[in-house]
């Protein structure tokens, strides 16, 4: 039966409608005021709220509550407490106090803090973010929270994200005031994040320790068919996949997540889900929930959802496209080109701010999407390169050119574009015309940041985008506020900034080698891997940027940097250990078995006076492949033990990148050759052929 979307939607969420229904009018109004003004919730208000929330949650079958938060690792964390409190006489009351709603004190000692907790307080606390609704998941009331140390340092992704949204709002309002808008009170960055993922059959998955421990295949020879026919993209959905998607969407709708678009992606077994955009912090929460639900629902269908950026070599990896814009409480999208000249001047100023910001902070943006997983994807022919650039499309590029050169704007009717006097040409929003090779594409009324990895929290990149754009707007505002003649100053500012930062604009093919060379000529930064990117986080320029906008203090940045480095090399460490184990326990053994069979055939044939040249040649090949693999394995192990005692994270990360990764790459080539050479029945693992084309057949539940 088809789902009743309006009935399902938000049914597991304590949303505005539910609050309105259940709270006394004055409490409800006081709550809205609190949110609007961004002031802390009073204890009295919290008590009434928590009571209503508990009653609602219990009607949804909840027995527990949890402060749901996003530690710096990028996943979500929860610790469940039952609502119960014992009564004298052996009975229990179901309780949930305002205090429990507002603040939690999880034993946070095992969350990564990059040394923060040692420096400050041993414990951390979680605090409700009332701008994101509470919801029921798994019979538990989940309260979206921020996670801080007792001295107030953020230990999570939500806190800096909320701060960056505030910073952007503040600077945006300054600009809007300059354009004479005295009524707008809020300006909010909006995000829609498209999520790519793979599905594989659960039985096959369980036979691949590399998938289990690392989320990706560490080897696997190319299947006879990959994505070269382009027959999977937008193709019809297989019944197993379709059943999964339907159930996933229903689960997401219940949680108030507006899952809207679903389709096959380019690689076999790869798919995409896109929700309708929302405010950045809600989108971030929703994306975390979406990833969790994808995994959960997949397992109900005897499949596993792979969110790794590059689960399979040789076919496309997975990303997450972060569509970003700014909306005001008057309902305007500030990146919507308009038909009135004054609005256009404003649009051009906001556009210029993004161009300035991206050019000025290329490295920061690059490192915001850096991870061991994304290193396999960026620049790998199906994802944007590690070089940041902006695609504007032909129409806007012409506009920018005419502004820079102060030349005639070549439109049919008019010949000269004057900012704030002329209207802009029609900016096409046609998706077929889009440049899909650009890391940052202006797509008509928003920017699509395509470099984000599929497993990453979108908080990371949005903290950076919000802050760097806030910074550009702040510089612009200061200059314009001081100007004698706003119109003249605005004109000059836009022209100057576009001229200075035009090198970041690129409409061509971002996947081409020519672009890499051209970008170098333009002086654009190219940081090929996480290790090269991360040190750009801990520079004076970045410290002062985040301090200026009160998003991160220096200590938080250093802590975050440490965690990112650690994450990086620990990920590679686990991969190397997994590979070593698979080689030692299964792969070399499989080769020996084959050699044993071949040796026997050679002996028997010899006894019968038959030629055994073929078997002998195969035997020698298997033998030499095995020795090569074994040699590389020992070298890998030596390197792993050499780096074990390294205490400096950056040195360790560099070593993993320079020594361990190439060693694993060599082994991969050797193993792939062995796999393609060994009889199928002797190969101990499901092949790419099986894994990538495993979703045939009827839905299983
Ligand atoms: P495509 O794959 O063609 O880029 P999709 O429809 O898959 O497009 O995804 C586009 C995403 O952009 C959706 O999540 C959509 O809600 C979001 N989006 C649309 N308008 C805006 C906007 N103004 N600000 C932020 N996100 C937006
Ligand atoms: Mg899409």
């Amino acid at each position: 039966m088809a789902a009743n979307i309006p009935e399902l939607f938000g049914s597991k969420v304590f949303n505005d409608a539910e609050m309105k229904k259940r709270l006394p009018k004055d409490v409800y109004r006081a709550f809205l005021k609190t949110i609007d003004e961004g002031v802390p919730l009073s204890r009295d208000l919290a008590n009434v709220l928590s009571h209503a929330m508990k009653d609602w949650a219990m009607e949804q079958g909840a027995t527990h509550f949890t402060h749901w938060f996003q530690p710096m690792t990028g996943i979500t964390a929860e610790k469940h407490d039952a609502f119960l409190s014992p009564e004298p006489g052996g009975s229990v009351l179901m309780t949930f106090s305002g205090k429990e709603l507002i603040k939690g004190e999880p034993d946070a000692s095992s969350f990564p803090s990059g040394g923060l907790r040692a420096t400050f307080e041993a414990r951390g606390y979680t605090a409700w973010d009332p701008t994101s609704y509470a919801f029921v998941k798994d019979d538990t009331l989940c309260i979206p929270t921020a996670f801080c140390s007792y001295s107030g340092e953020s230990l999570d992704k939500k806190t800096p994200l909320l701060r960056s949204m505030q910073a952007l709002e503040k600077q945006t309002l300054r600009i809007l005031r300059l354009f004479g808008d005295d009524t707008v009170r809020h300006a909010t960055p909006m995000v829609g994040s498209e999520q790519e993922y793979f599905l594989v059959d659960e039985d096959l998955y369980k036979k691949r320790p590399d998938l289990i421990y690392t989320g990706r295949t560490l080897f696997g020879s190319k299947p006879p068919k990959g994505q070269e026919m382009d027959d999977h993209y937008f193709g019809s959905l297989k019944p197993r996949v379709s059943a999964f998607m339907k159930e996933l969407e229903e689960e997401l709708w219940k949680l108030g997540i507006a899952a809207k678009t679903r389709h096959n992606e380019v690689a076999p077994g790869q798919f995409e889900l896109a929700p309708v955009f929302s405010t950045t912090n809600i989108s971030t929460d929703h994306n975390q929930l979406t990833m969790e639900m994808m995994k959960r629902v997949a397992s109900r269908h005897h499949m596993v959802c792979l969110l790794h950026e590059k689960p399979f070599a040789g076919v496309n990896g997975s990303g997450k496209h972060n569509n970003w814009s700014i909306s005001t409480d008057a309902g305007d999208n500030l990146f919507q080109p308009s038909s009135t000249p004054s609005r256009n001047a404003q649009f051009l100023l906001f556009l210029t701010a993004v161009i300035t910001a991206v050019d000025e902070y290329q490295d920061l943006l690059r490192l915001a999407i850096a991870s061991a997983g994304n290193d396999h994807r960026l620049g790998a022919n199906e994802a944007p390169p590690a070089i940041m650039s902006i695609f504007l499309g032909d129409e806007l590029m012409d506009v920018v050119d005419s502004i820079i050169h102060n030349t005639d704007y070549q439109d049919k009717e008019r010949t000269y574009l004057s900012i704030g006097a002329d209207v802009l040409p029609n900016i096409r929003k046609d998706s077929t015309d889009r440049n899909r090779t650009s890391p940052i594409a202006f797509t008509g009324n928003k920017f699509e940041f395509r470099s984000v990895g599929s497993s990453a929290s979108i908080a990371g990149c949005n903290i950076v985008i919000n802050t760097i754009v806030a910074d550009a707007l702040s510089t612009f505002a200061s200059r314009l506020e001081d100007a004698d003649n706003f119109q003249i100053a605005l004109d000059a500012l836009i022209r100057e900034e576009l001229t200075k930062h035009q090198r970041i604009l690129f409409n061509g093919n971002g996947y081409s080698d020519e672009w890499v060379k051209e970008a170098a000529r333009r002086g654009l930064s190219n940081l090929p891997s996480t290790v090269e990117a991360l040190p750009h986080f801990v520079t004076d320029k970045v410290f002062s940027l985040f301090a200026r906008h009160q998003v991160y203090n220096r200590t938080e940045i250093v802590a975050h940097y440490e965690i990112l480095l650690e994450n990086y090399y620990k990920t590679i460490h686990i991969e190397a250990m997994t590979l070593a184990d698979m080689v030692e326990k299964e792969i070399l053994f499989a080769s020996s078995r084959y050699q044993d069979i071949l040796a026997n055939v050679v002996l028997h044939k010899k006894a019968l006076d038959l030629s055994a040249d073929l078997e002998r040649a195969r035997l020698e090949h298997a033998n030499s492949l095995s020795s090569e693999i074994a040699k590389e394995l020992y070298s890998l192990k030596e390197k792993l033990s050499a780096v074990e005692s390294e205490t400096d994270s950056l040195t360790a990360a560099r070593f993993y990148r320079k020594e361990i990764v190439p060693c694993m790459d060599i082994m991969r080539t050797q193993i792939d050759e062995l796999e393609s050479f060994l009889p199928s029945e002797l190969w101990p693992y499901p092949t790419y052929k099986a894994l990538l084309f495993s979703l045939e057949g009827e839905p299983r539940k």
Side-chain angles (χ1 to χ4, degrees):
M1 206 179 64
N4 180 343
I5 303 182
E7 200 174 289
L8 281 179
F9 197 82
S11 59
K12 295 267 181 196
V13 183
F14 193 64
N15 54 21
D16 190 61
E18 209 58 55
M19 284 189 233
K20 201 167 179 179
K21 202 163 81 195
R22 289 171 183 261
L23 295 172
K25 257 204 187 87
D26 53 329
V27 173
Y28 173 71
R29 248 184 266 122
F31 176 72
L32 288 190
K33 194 159 173 273
T34 308
I35 303 260
D36 187 55
E37 289 169 0
V39 294
L41 223 56
S42 75
R43 181 58 64 85
D44 286 346
L45 196 55
N47 279 333
V48 184
L49 257 163
S50 63
H51 195 79
M53 211 185 258
K54 180 205 68 186
D55 286 348
W56 168 82
M58 282 173 61
E59 285 168 29
Q60 305 301 315
T63 50
H64 288 68
F65 70 93
T66 181
H67 278 205
W68 184 78
F69 60 101
Q70 298 165 31
M72 289 198 249
T73 44
I75 49 157
T76 54
E78 38 194 80
K79 179 195 117 199
H80 298 184
D81 281 304
F83 286 129
L84 70 90
S85 51
E87 284 286 282
S91 60
V92 291
L93 268 183
M94 295 299 268
T95 59
F96 178 51
S97 67
K99 184 166 169 274
E100 286 171 310
L101 167 64
I102 300 179
K103 196 163 172 177
E105 298 182 16
D107 173 13
S109 50
S110 30
F111 290 107
S113 72
L116 257 185
R117 226 171 296 104
T119 335
F120 295 91
E121 281 273 350
R123 281 178 312 162
Y125 69 90
T126 51
W128 183 32
D129 161 23
T131 60
S132 185
Y133 297 132
F135 54 92
V136 166
K137 170 173 73 77
D138 210 10
D139 297 340
T140 300
L141 170 67
C142 299
I143 301 147
T145 48
F147 181 33
C148 293
S149 76
Y150 262 94
S151 41
E153 268 75 22
S154 67
L155 292 170
D156 70 346
K157 301 223 172 204
K158 191 185 257 285
T159 312
L161 181 67
L162 292 171
R163 292 177 188 158
S164 75
M165 291 170 70
Q166 271 170 20
L168 185 66
E169 172 169 274
K170 185 172 160 195
Q171 303 307 332
T172 301
L173 292 180
R174 279 177 76 191
I175 297 285
L176 293 179
R177 298 290 177 257
L178 282 165
F179 279 92
D181 189 334
D182 290 323
T183 51
V184 165
R185 296 182 53 239
H186 289 294
T188 315
M190 307 300 284
V191 165
S193 65
E194 306 161 53
Q195 176 74 48
E196 293 175 342
Y197 60 98
F198 278 86
L199 290 172
V200 295
D201 182 85
E202 185 180 56
D203 294 337
L204 299 174
Y205 171 90
K206 282 183 182 155
K207 293 181 186 145
R208 294 278 314 210
D210 47 358
L211 282 181
I212 296 173
Y213 297 118
T214 75
R216 72 180 183 103
T217 54
L218 298 172
F219 52 81
S221 74
K222 249 176 122 68
K225 179 182 176 204
Q227 63 188 44
E228 46 281 281
M229 306 291 282
D230 283 327
D231 51 353
H232 189 253
Y233 191 50
F234 278 26
S236 65
L237 297 171
K238 298 204 169 78
R240 264 186 98 178
V241 175
S242 164
F244 157 82
M245 285 183 175
K246 279 184 193 155
E247 190 171 328
L248 172 64
E249 284 169 342
E250 284 183 23
E251 292 292 347
L252 296 178
W253 291 334
K254 285 185 208 162
L255 290 167
I257 300 172
K260 184 164 172 77
T261 310
R262 59 181 184 205
H263 60 79
N264 285 350
E265 260 302 326
V266 175
Q270 192 188 27
F271 311 93
E272 181 189 291
L273 179 145
V276 176
F277 68 100
S278 178
T279 62
T280 312
N281 69 319
I282 290 176
S283 269
T284 304
D285 287 355
H286 281 181
N287 183 252
Q288 296 295 132
L289 278 173
T290 300
M291 293 194 283
E292 185 181 334
M293 282 302 158
M294 281 177 164
K295 292 203 167 268
R296 241 196 241 200
V297 175
S299 99
R300 289 184 210 150
H301 289 257
H302 301 284
M303 296 188 287
V304 176
C305 173
L306 305 176
L307 291 169
H308 194 282
E309 283 74 16
K310 194 78 181 177
F312 304 100
V315 295
N316 275 13
S318 300
K320 182 139 50 189
H321 299 170
N322 190 82
N323 295 274
W324 181 93
S325 66
I326 308 175
S327 263
T328 68
D329 54 346
D332 291 321
N333 172 358
L334 299 176
F335 291 100
Q336 178 70 57
S338 150
S339 51
T340 65
S342 64
R343 273 294 171 95
N344 277 333
Q346 188 187 299
F347 162 78
L348 283 173
L349 187 67
F350 279 102
L351 183 81
T352 305
V354 175
I355 293 169
T356 299
V358 172
D359 185 41
E360 201 57 63
Y361 289 99
Q362 298 165 45
D363 297 341
L364 183 57
L365 210 46
R366 163 69 184 95
L367 75 90
I369 46 128
S371 68
N374 219 11
D375 278 358
H376 296 285
R377 176 179 162 259
L378 293 180
N381 280 326
E382 85 278 345
I387 307 163
M388 291 299 144
S389 67
I390 298 178
F391 166 83
L392 287 184
D394 291 340
E395 293 93 346
L396 257 192
M397 200 63 192
D398 284 350
V399 171
V400 167
D401 276 341
S402 89
I403 294 173
I404 290 174
H405 303 294
N406 212 353
T407 53
D408 292 354
Y409 172 72
Q410 299 300 325
D411 198 354
K412 278 156 215 94
E413 284 112 61
R414 285 160 302 113
T415 49
Y416 180 72
L417 181 95
S418 125
I419 299 163
D422 280 352
V423 292
L424 288 176
N426 243 341
I427 309 294
R428 263 183 299 161
K429 226 195 302 184
D430 182 1
S431 64
T432 53
D433 179 49
R434 254 190 250 156
N435 183 332
R436 294 186 178 270
T437 67
S438 177
I440 306 164
F442 182 74
T443 51
N445 61 358
K446 61 187 188 318
F447 286 90
E448 183 175 2
F449 188 27
R450 305 160 43 91
S451 313
V452 191
S454 50
S455 70
S457 157
I458 56 169
C461 72
N462 284 300
I463 292 167
V464 169
I465 297 171
N466 293 343
T467 310
I468 62 178
V469 174
D471 196 58
L473 291 173
S474 147
T475 318
F476 293 3
S478 299
R479 195 168 144 184
L480 295 173
E481 282 160 359
D482 288 344
D484 296 330
N485 183 319
F486 176 71
Q487 223 18 272
I488 293 175
L490 177 71
D491 220 84
L493 183 140
I494 291 181
R495 182 162 297 117
E496 259 175 48
E497 290 293 321
L498 289 178
T499 308
K500 192 162 142 206
H501 299 290
Q502 58 180 308
R503 62 173 183 169
I504 201 76
L505 302 175
F506 178 62
N507 272 0
N509 179 6
Y511 293 1
S512 68
D513 294 336
E514 291 76 60
W515 170 231
V516 178
K517 288 183 208 135
E518 166 66 17
R521 268 195 298 277
R522 292 186 187 190
L524 296 180
S525 132
N526 183 359
L527 303 167
S529 87
T530 302
V531 178
E532 287 88 37
L534 286 183
H536 292 268
F537 204 7
V538 284
T539 60
D540 286 339
K541 186 179 171 190
V542 170
F543 289 145
S544 82
L545 166 80
F546 284 121
R548 263 198 307 281
H549 300 284
Q550 288 156 9
V551 172
Y552 280 123
N553 63 31
R554 190 190 179 104
T555 321
E556 290 170 331
I557 295 176
V558 172
H560 209 124
Y561 165 70
E562 274 297 319
I563 289 170
L564 289 168
L565 276 177
E566 250 179 51
N567 244 334
Y568 172 79
Y569 73 75
K570 282 183 179 166
T571 301
I572 298 174
H573 183 79
I574 294 169
E575 290 179 348
M577 297 295 282
T578 305
L579 183 64
D581 194 63
M582 292 173 88
V583 167
E584 196 129 52
K585 298 279 158 55
E586 303 263 16
I587 292 174
L588 291 178
F589 179 62
S591 175
S592 297
R593 277 171 70 183
Y594 188 38
Q595 291 174 54
D596 188 38
I597 293 169
L598 290 168
N600 271 313
V601 176
V602 171
L603 286 178
H604 289 149
K605 278 192 165 178
K606 267 208 169 142
L608 295 169
D609 237 1
L610 291 168
S611 156
D613 291 353
L614 174 69
E615 287 78 9
R616 176 174 280 278
R618 291 186 77 86
L619 177 58
E620 274 166 12
H621 189 48
N623 187 38
S624 79
L625 270 175
S626 281
S627 335
E628 281 167 28
I629 294 172
K631 199 172 124 218
E632 214 54 52
L633 172 68
Y634 296 130
S635 144
L636 180 72
K637 285 183 157 182
E638 258 170 39
K639 287 172 178 167
L640 283 171
S641 64
V643 72
E644 211 167 345
S645 54
E646 181 55 63
T647 49
D648 179 67
S649 306
L650 182 59
T651 313
R654 283 188 174 140
F655 185 88
Y656 274 91
R657 168 76 184 163
K658 207 167 147 270
E659 301 291 335
I660 308 280
V661 169
C663 195
M664 290 172 67
D665 287 344
I666 295 173
M667 284 174 80
R668 179 188 180 122
T669 315
Q670 297 164 338
I671 296 167
D672 287 356
E673 192 179 340
L674 184 68
E675 181 190 326
S676 60
F677 172 74
L678 243 58
S680 310
E681 63 169 79
L682 292 181
W683 191 246
Y685 303 110
T687 61
Y688 267 30
K689 198 162 61 184
L691 289 165
L692 285 167
F693 298 91
S694 66
L695 304 173
E696 307 296 335
E698 288 307 305
R700 275 193 260 153
K701 251 198 117 171

